[in-house]
Amino acid sequence: MAVIEMEKPEPKSGEVLLKMNYVGFCGSDLNTFLGRNPMVNMPVIPGHEVSATIAAVGADVPQTLRVGMDVTVDPYSNCGHCAACRHERANACEHNQTLGVQRNGAMREYLTMPWQKIIPAEGLTKKEIALIEPMSVGFHAVNRAEVTDIDHVLVIGCGMIGIGAIVRASLRGATVTAVDLDDEKLALAKRMGAHHVVNTATEDLHARLQEITDGLGPDVVIEAVGSPYTQNEAVNEVAFTGRIVFIGYAKATTEFVTKLFVQKELDVRGSRNAKPADFRAVIHYMQQNRNYPKDELISAVAKPEEAHSAMKQWAAAPAKVFRILVEL
């Protein structure tokens, strides 16, 4: 990881020039740093969690996007022709290229983007805006699960994406149980809307869920860890006729007892990225809930020259970090 000089880009027709304020490092960036991300095209400029200000606009950009406006970015590309795009689910485009993964990202002073990918976020602090994209991934998973106010929702994993799922499920009126191995993360999950918390390092998950759900099990399980163990826990613990949504994907092969898929008549779904509507829902939540513990979601702020040491510290204690923001 190194800091280099680049030419300042100029916006073409239909493009917006963005001046970066903060860009977040996420778990996929950590895996890239450690050489464990199979999705990345190396070498790459990281960054897809964007807080920026519009510095200039090219021709043929709508007047609703103005110089000086604080915005975030939809960092996913879509081809418009694959099955996902044809079904209006561009977030799952077969040929998606996410900023900072399959193509160079936003960890730089200036970036040009098509105006269609710009999402206004006025009324929020510049640090908050960098939290929109990761939280929107959790919001999208709740949409995939079709959560309602009569559901009991189990969220496994209280990282940033899991926190987003907890917030969205609680906003929909569901009863939410959060699961993690870290008491600090569970305390934050409760402040963000979880009704119950379970630390599986010290508590029996099955026994606690049976107690909380009157022996029925949770109607919905959202798995936000991505390990074979937690993925199997989702299948084992979900109620009969329940819904499971996997956000995380395991690095190793996961073996399931598929009898439970049939016996419980489960809906098992994947959840990938987020839609613009999910971004707008997160922005609305942040605008309407100014007292949510936003500062606790930011573990550290680093200058570009400090990014390498910040990532080394994260690699040494991955469970203790929500988000590292790079201030540009």
Side-chain angles (χ1 to χ4, degrees), residues 191-211:
R191 289 195 291 277
M192 298 296 286
H195 301 83
H196 309 278
V197 296
V198 181
N199 186 328
T200 50
T202 58
E203 300 177 85
D204 184 309
L205 178 61
H206 179 71
R208 287 282 285 122
L209 288 176
Q210 290 294 295
E211 174 190 342

Side-chain angles (χ1 to χ4, degrees), residues 148-166:
T148 72
D149 58 343
I150 62 172
D151 287 324
H152 191 120
V153 178
L154 172 66
V155 178
I156 303 176
C158 295
M160 191 67 190
I161 291 171
I163 289 292
I166 289 165

Side-chain angles (χ1 to χ4, degrees), residues 89-160:
R89 290 165 66 177
N91 59 293
C93 174
E94 181 180 355
H95 307 291
N96 166 65
Q97 291 189 324
T98 299
L99 288 176
V101 186
Q102 292 89 5
R103 57 182 171 143
N104 281 333
M107 200 73 72
R108 42 182 148 173
E109 289 181 290
Y110 290 94
L111 176 70
T112 56
M113 290 290 294
W115 70 263
Q116 295 91 340
K117 296 294 184 180
I118 306 301
I119 301 174
E122 293 185 293
L124 303 181
T125 69
K126 290 175 170 55
K127 287 182 181 178
E128 279 181 289
I129 293 171
L131 303 177
I132 294 170
E133 190 276 342
M135 194 173 285
S136 73
V137 176
F139 271 49
H140 182 67
V142 172
N143 287 339
R144 291 282 293 140
E146 301 180 273
V147 170
T148 72
D149 58 343
I150 62 172
D151 287 324
H152 191 120
V153 178
L154 172 66
V155 178
I156 303 176
C158 295
M160 191 67 190

Side-chain angles (χ1 to χ4, degrees), residues 168-217:
R168 186 58 159 165
S170 64
L171 286 173
R172 290 192 172 190
T175 301
V176 182
T177 296
V179 171
D180 203 278
L181 298 167
D182 187 283
D183 284 331
E184 291 181 14
K185 287 186 175 180
L186 289 170
L188 178 59
K190 200 148 194 179
R191 289 195 291 277
M192 298 296 286
H195 301 83
H196 309 278
V197 296
V198 181
N199 186 328
T200 50
T202 58
E203 300 177 85
D204 184 309
L205 178 61
H206 179 71
R208 287 282 285 122
L209 288 176
Q210 290 294 295
E211 174 190 342
I212 292 166
T213 65
D214 296 324
L216 299 175

